[in-house]
Amino acid sequence: MNNMKKKVIVACGGAVATSTIAANKVVELGKKNGIEIEIAQVRISEIESNLDGASLIVTTSRVKRDFGIPLITGMPFISGVGVEKTEKAILDVLKGE
């Protein structure tokens, strides 16, 4: 089992609460799937300065920019709608590297 640590940036527009929920879900998902995840919890404006070594960006608000790595919306973790699809998308990125 390759136990590589994956850096995931979890970013929100303002409210830290939403990105905390999303970050916890991503870490849980990793644990269930044998992936060690390091979270960088930042504001949207700080994504760029945290890109180094990151595999994925999960945001809880709309981001139109392309940062050159996969970006997945974490809104389903907040709303509860479409969670499985989001988890699958996240796993596809983290396992597919």
Side-chain angles (χ1 to χ4, degrees), residues 64-97:
K64 295 198 168 53
R65 272 193 60 192
D66 179 5
F67 292 98
I69 64 170
L71 190 149
I72 294 172
T73 175
M75 279 318 289
F77 293 137
I78 315 304
S79 67
V81 178
V83 174
E84 281 179 21
K85 194 176 159 195
T86 302
E87 289 183 339
K88 184 184 182 315
I90 289 170
L91 285 175
D92 285 350
V93 171
L94 296 181
K95 288 181 169 175
E97 281 217 321

Side-chain angles (χ1 to χ4, degrees), residues 2-78:
N2 82 353
N3 202 353
M4 280 177 57
K5 203 171 204 174
K6 301 287 185 178
K7 179 176 167 185
V8 177
I9 297 173
V10 179
C12 61
V16 175
T18 56
S19 64
T20 301
I21 293 168
N24 291 340
K25 297 279 189 194
V26 172
V27 169
E28 257 171 56
L29 182 65
K31 275 194 187 132
K32 277 186 209 153
N33 292 274
I35 303 165
E36 198 180 342
I37 293 176
E38 176 197 340
I39 296 285
Q41 202 172 324
V42 302
R43 289 177 184 277
I44 298 289
S45 58
E46 299 165 339
I47 291 175
E48 206 165 12
S49 55
N50 284 276
L51 282 174
D52 193 38
S55 303
L56 172 67
I57 302 167
V58 176
T59 65
T60 53
S61 58
R62 293 189 185 286
V63 178
K64 295 198 168 53
R65 272 193 60 192
D66 179 5
F67 292 98
I69 64 170
L71 190 149
I72 294 172
T73 175
M75 279 318 289
F77 293 137
I78 315 304

